[in-house]
């Protein structure tokens, strides 16, 4: 799950969808959102800075404490 680790590491500081997508080197916005961003949010590993306004141009995403624990486990397995 290289892309997942990259996204979680990037989101330690709040970033936009475009910034996270670029960092993961994924070009297709819909694929990135459906395959990575939304599942990470649903699993509780990533959260939105403005959850009440998910389509805001100011929306940023950040790694949650659960996401940090996942990163720690990944580092331990690597």
């Amino acid at each position: 799950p290289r892309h997942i680790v990259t996204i979680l590491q990037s989101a330690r500081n709040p970033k936009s969808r475009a910034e996270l997508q670029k960092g993961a080197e994924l070009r297709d916005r819909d694929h990135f959102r459906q395959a990575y961003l939304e599942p990470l949010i649903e699993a509780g590993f990533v959260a939105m800075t403005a959850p009440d306004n998910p389509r805001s141009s100011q929306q940023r995403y950040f790694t949650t404490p659960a996401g940090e624990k996942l990163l720690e486990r990944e580092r331990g397995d690597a």
Side-chain angles (χ1 to χ4, degrees), residues 3-65:
H3 292 307
I4 292 171
V5 169
T6 301
I7 293 164
L8 290 174
Q9 288 173 336
S10 293
R12 283 181 161 152
N13 295 316
K15 298 242 176 20
S16 68
R17 187 240 356 118
E19 291 171 315
L20 292 176
Q21 182 178 332
K22 184 177 181 181
E25 299 178 351
L26 295 165
R27 293 183 182 192
D28 187 293
R29 176 180 22 195
D30 289 334
H31 173 72
F32 174 76
R33 192 174 42 76
Q34 292 172 359
Y36 295 99
L37 192 56
E38 289 175 0
L40 284 170
I41 292 169
E42 289 171 15
F45 298 130
V46 170
M48 292 184 263
T49 57
D52 295 336
N53 194 2
R55 293 179 162 249
S56 169
S57 62
Q58 300 302 309
Q59 186 66 261
R60 298 294 180 264
Y61 302 91
F62 63 94
T63 304
T64 65

